[in-house]
């Protein structure tokens, strides 16, 4: 029970019953027909307090004024105490009613504390997962249906989803001091998918590896090898990925598959580009370039067969199982020596070994180039150096004119030249000196490159035809050309001290067995 507060102080109280119907004398009701004794009236009898669990409403009856009584806080407190109201009394509201003599008008003087519901924890994905195959608008206003938003990639440690923590519920209390429970808030936990982990603070889901994101059974996952169960076409768009790609179908004309990792195509490639910037490309079907296709890789290419396509693998080997027709190949090595593998037409440019089972065909030329890589790189750089050197005179000419003009000013005005003019003169002189130095450096580099071209570091190349050779083969071995003939089959060529040399790949015929005791070449006994 709350104590009755002193006047001017605050406390808690409850609703009071209705005022009594007749004044009392010494606690007894005046008998009928007898004069009443002087009344001992109670101001609380003129109070009415209605209570509910959540509030108490006070009404002061106007008859208290006619009775000449004065109401105080203590009178209200007694009523509230009798009603067991112990929480949420607004004593300032009580004071306003008393001091303002607000009669016969019910007003709320006590309110319970409502419970505050909590907030459930929420997990939100912070990265886009689902593909969007809507076309991208180009600058010219045309729609690009090939480069679409299809693979969403992440790096190790990237945040995939974040958790907003749960806010606990706060219970309430009614005016009688009884607790009012609130519905409990629910926590949420991350569902771990493949290659994901939870951050140490428990508030983020992060990628444990680099890869692409996808959903599986309601969980976010990170895949390493991107697998396409179908063709690369308008239903998928071009594929660009920093990991490995596996295409279980075909790569259609005009589309691109590009990755930093390994690329494997189970089907065919038609008029498309398949490029691995750091690893290998394997095409288990045929490659039909139609004169515009390209297959390129950093460390290796494996093909069943290819036609009319560019094949590039400058640091690794191109391995062919069945044959090449009219292809442009650049590679460290070409391995096409499996029985029946034919290379017909086109051009092969290799820095190491070229081995072909069947070479050439009637009516077409097949060009084979064995090239020193360092010398070729030097030739390419030499062309760039000559271009840069040719630009220098055009840059020097205006500077020379400025210098002549400024020297004339120095001779005329001497020490009276301003600091700004002196600074301009120095800037022009420095630019002129820099160009002259660059010109000399380019001349020096030309000499070094010429030396590399004329005396390549190594001639370790090899060329071999293991089965048959048909008319039309032309071999260029470190700049020394040779037209290949049918009799050059089953031979290999290397570079020796005397230049280009060939030797047979056929095993030596077996020597006949000799009788015991007769060394070879000895006359019979």
């Amino acid at each position: 029970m709350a104590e009755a507060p002193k006047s001017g102080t605050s406390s808690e109280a409850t609703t009071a019953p209705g005022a009594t119907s007749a004044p009392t004398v010494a606690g007894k009701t005046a008998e009928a027909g007898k004069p009443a004794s002087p009344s001992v009236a109670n101001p609380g009898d003129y109070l009415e307090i209605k209570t509910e669990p959540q509030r108490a409403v006070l009404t002061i009856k106007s008859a208290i004024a006619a009775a000449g009584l004065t109401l105080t806080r203590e009178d209200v407190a007694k009523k509230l105490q009798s009603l067991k109201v112990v929480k949420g009394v607004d004593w300032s509201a009580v004071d306003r009613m008393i001091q303002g003599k607000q009669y016969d008008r019910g007003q709320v003087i006590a309110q319970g504390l409502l419970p505050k519901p909590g907030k459930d924890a929420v997990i939100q994905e912070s990265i886009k997962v689902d593909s969007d195959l809507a076309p991208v608008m180009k600058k010219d206003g045309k729609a690009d249906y090939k480069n679409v938003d299809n693979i969403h990639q992440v790096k190790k440690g990237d945040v995939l989803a974040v958790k907003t923590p749960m806010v606990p519920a706060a219970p309430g209390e009614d005016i009688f001091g009884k607790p009012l429970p609130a519905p409990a808030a629910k926590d949420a936990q991350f569902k771990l998918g493949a290659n994901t982990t939870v951050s140490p603070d428990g508030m983020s889901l992060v990628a444990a590896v680099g890869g692409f994101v996808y959903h599986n059974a309601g969980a976010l996952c990170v895949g390493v090898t991107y697998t396409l169960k179908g063709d690369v076409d308008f239903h998928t768009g071009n594929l660009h990925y920093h990991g490995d790609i596996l295409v279980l179908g075909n790569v259609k004309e005009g589309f691109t598959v590009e990755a930093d990792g390994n690329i494997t195509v189970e089907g065919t490639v038609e008029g498309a580009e398949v490029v691995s910037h750091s690893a290998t490309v394997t095409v288990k079907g045929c490659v039909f370039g139609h004169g515009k296709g390209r297959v390129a890789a950093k460390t290796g290419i494996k093909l069943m067969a290819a036609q009319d396509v560019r094949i590039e693998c400058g640091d690794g080997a191109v391995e062919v199982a069945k044959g090449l027709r009219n292809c442009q190949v650049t590679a460290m090595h070409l391995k096409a020596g499996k029985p029946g593998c034919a290379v017909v037409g086109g051009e092969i440019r290799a820095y190491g070994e070229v081995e072909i089972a069947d070479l050439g065909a009637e009516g077409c030329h097949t060009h084979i180039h064995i090239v020193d890589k360092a010398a070729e790189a030097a030739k390419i750089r030499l062309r760039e150096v000559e271009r840069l050197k040719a630009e220098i005179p055009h840059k020097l000419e205006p500077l020379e004119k400025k210098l002549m003009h400024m020297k004339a000013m120095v001779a005329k005005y001497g020490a009276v030249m301003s600091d700004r003019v002196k600074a301009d003169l120095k800037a022009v002189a420095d630019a002129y000196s820099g160009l002259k130095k660059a010109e000399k450096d380019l001349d020096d580099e030309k000499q070094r490159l010429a030396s590399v071209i004329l005396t390549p570091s190594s001639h370790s190349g090899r060329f071999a035809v293991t089965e048959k050779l048909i008319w039309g083969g032309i071999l260029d071995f470190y700049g020394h050309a040779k037209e290949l003939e049918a009799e050059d089959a089953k031979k290999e060529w290397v570079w020796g001290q005397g230049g280009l040399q060939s030797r047979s790949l056929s095993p030596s015929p077996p020597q006949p067995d000799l009788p015991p005791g007769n060394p070879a070449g000895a006359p019979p006994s």
Side-chain angles (χ1 to χ4, degrees), residues 41-289:
N42 182 0
D45 294 337
Y46 296 90
L47 300 179
E48 182 183 78
I49 301 178
K50 295 180 179 180
T51 60
E52 301 171 1
Q54 285 301 319
R55 68 177 190 168
V57 179
L58 170 63
T59 302
I60 304 174
K61 295 187 178 296
S62 58
I64 194 172
L69 298 176
T70 301
L71 185 67
T72 65
R73 264 194 188 191
E74 288 75 9
D75 298 322
V76 177
K78 288 178 183 178
K79 287 289 186 183
L80 293 172
Q81 191 174 27
S82 69
L83 296 170
K84 298 182 181 180
V85 176
V86 296
K87 293 292 181 180
V89 178
D90 184 357
W91 289 107
S92 62
V94 173
D95 291 340
R96 286 194 299 271
M97 291 182 70
I98 294 172
Q99 294 167 10
K101 298 180 180 181
Q102 300 173 6
Y103 301 138
D104 301 327
R105 186 172 61 185
Q107 297 189 46
V108 177
I109 62 165
Q111 285 186 308
L113 178 64
L114 294 173
K116 291 184 179 180
K119 291 183 179 180
D120 294 343
V122 177
I123 292 176
Q124 291 181 316
E125 294 177 358
S126 56
I127 185 168
K128 189 174 181 181
V129 180
D130 298 326
S131 299
D132 182 2
L133 299 180
V136 176
M137 299 308 294
K138 299 180 181 178
K139 292 182 179 180
D140 59 5
K142 295 181 180 179
D144 184 352
Y145 290 91
K146 294 180 179 178
N147 291 305
V148 295
D149 185 16
N150 51 8
I151 303 178
H152 300 123
Q153 305 180 53
V154 293
K155 300 185 293 296
K156 181 180 180 180
D158 281 354
V159 175
L160 308 178
V162 294
K163 177 180 175 180
T164 301
M166 174 187 70
V167 177
E173 193 175 26
D174 68 15
I175 63 174
F176 304 115
K178 295 181 179 179
L180 300 174
K186 298 178 181 178
D187 200 3
Q189 302 298 329
F190 290 108
K191 189 173 182 179
L192 290 179
N195 298 314
T196 63
T197 186
V198 178
S199 62
D201 62 3
M203 303 309 291
S204 300
L205 182 72
V206 299
V209 298
F212 66 97
V213 289
Y214 65 97
H215 287 120
N216 184 29
L220 270 176
C221 305
V222 178
V224 178
T225 299
Y226 183 82
T227 301
L228 178 65
K229 298 178 180 179
D231 297 339
V232 179
D233 55 18
F234 284 107
H235 292 93
T236 63
N238 295 328
L239 302 185
H240 301 276
Y241 183 49
H242 59 62
D244 297 344
I245 294 179
L246 171 60
V247 178
L248 298 179
N250 309 309
V251 183
K252 296 296 187 177
E253 185 169 354
F255 286 87
T256 298
V257 178
E258 184 179 16
D260 290 333
N262 299 312
I263 300 174
T264 301
V265 179
E266 295 286 341
T268 62
V269 175
E270 291 197 48
E273 288 202 12
V274 180
V275 179
S276 170
H277 295 292
S278 303
T280 67
V281 169
T282 300
V283 181
K284 295 185 179 180
C286 294
V287 180
F288 301 100

Side-chain angles (χ1 to χ4, degrees), residues 151-478:
I151 303 178
H152 300 123
Q153 305 180 53
V154 293
K155 300 185 293 296
K156 181 180 180 180
D158 281 354
V159 175
L160 308 178
V162 294
K163 177 180 175 180
T164 301
M166 174 187 70
V167 177
E173 193 175 26
D174 68 15
I175 63 174
F176 304 115
K178 295 181 179 179
L180 300 174
K186 298 178 181 178
D187 200 3
Q189 302 298 329
F190 290 108
K191 189 173 182 179
L192 290 179
N195 298 314
T196 63
T197 186
V198 178
S199 62
D201 62 3
M203 303 309 291
S204 300
L205 182 72
V206 299
V209 298
F212 66 97
V213 289
Y214 65 97
H215 287 120
N216 184 29
L220 270 176
C221 305
V222 178
V224 178
T225 299
Y226 183 82
T227 301
L228 178 65
K229 298 178 180 179
D231 297 339
V232 179
D233 55 18
F234 284 107
H235 292 93
T236 63
N238 295 328
L239 302 185
H240 301 276
Y241 183 49
H242 59 62
D244 297 344
I245 294 179
L246 171 60
V247 178
L248 298 179
N250 309 309
V251 183
K252 296 296 187 177
E253 185 169 354
F255 286 87
T256 298
V257 178
E258 184 179 16
D260 290 333
N262 299 312
I263 300 174
T264 301
V265 179
E266 295 286 341
T268 62
V269 175
E270 291 197 48
E273 288 202 12
V274 180
V275 179
S276 170
H277 295 292
S278 303
T280 67
V281 169
T282 300
V283 181
K284 295 185 179 180
C286 294
V287 180
F288 301 100
H290 305 310
K292 56 187 175 182
R294 175 173 172 250
V295 176
K298 176 73 172 176
T299 60
I301 296 175
K302 292 183 179 181
L303 307 173
M304 183 176 74
Q307 180 173 338
D308 299 316
V309 65
R310 281 188 298 140
I311 302 170
E312 301 168 359
C313 187
D315 293 338
V318 173
E319 299 180 39
V320 183
K322 292 189 176 180
L324 301 175
R325 181 175 289 273
N326 296 326
C327 293
Q328 303 294 316
V329 180
T330 301
M332 179 62 70
H333 309 292
L334 173 64
K335 298 180 179 180
K338 291 185 177 181
C341 185
V343 176
V344 177
E347 185 173 12
I348 310 299
R349 194 173 190 86
Y351 306 118
E353 297 187 5
V354 174
E355 184 170 291
I356 299 170
D358 299 340
L359 176 65
E362 293 292 342
C364 71
H365 287 83
T366 307
H367 294 261
I368 311 295
H369 300 269
I370 306 296
V371 182
D372 186 279
K373 192 171 186 179
E376 186 175 52
K379 289 178 182 178
I380 295 171
R381 175 57 186 169
L382 182 59
R383 289 194 291 269
E384 177 66 11
V385 167
E386 289 175 341
R387 184 188 65 80
L388 294 172
K389 190 172 182 300
E391 293 175 354
I392 289 180
H394 302 290
K395 296 178 180 179
L396 284 174
E397 185 177 356
L399 293 177
E400 289 174 343
K401 291 180 179 179
K402 282 186 178 181
L403 282 175
M404 291 178 61
H405 177 67
M406 288 181 169
K407 287 180 180 179
M409 290 180 64
V410 170
K412 185 174 182 179
Y413 297 106
V416 299
M417 290 178 62
S418 67
D419 291 341
R420 184 181 65 82
V421 174
K422 291 178 180 178
D424 289 345
L425 176 61
K426 183 178 183 306
V428 174
D430 288 347
Y432 181 84
S433 298
L435 284 173
K436 294 298 287 183
K437 182 179 183 304
E439 188 176 40
K440 182 180 183 305
D441 290 344
L442 291 172
D443 282 333
D444 293 343
E445 187 176 2
K446 279 185 65 176
Q447 292 183 5
R448 289 194 301 271
L449 293 171
S451 177
V452 171
I453 293 169
L454 294 174
T455 56
S457 57
S458 66
H459 277 334
S460 57
R462 172 180 174 269
F463 171 70
V465 177
T466 60
E467 292 184 359
K468 61 182 178 180
L469 196 153
I470 302 174
W471 173 89
I474 299 174
L475 174 64
D476 185 326
F477 210 107
Y478 298 130

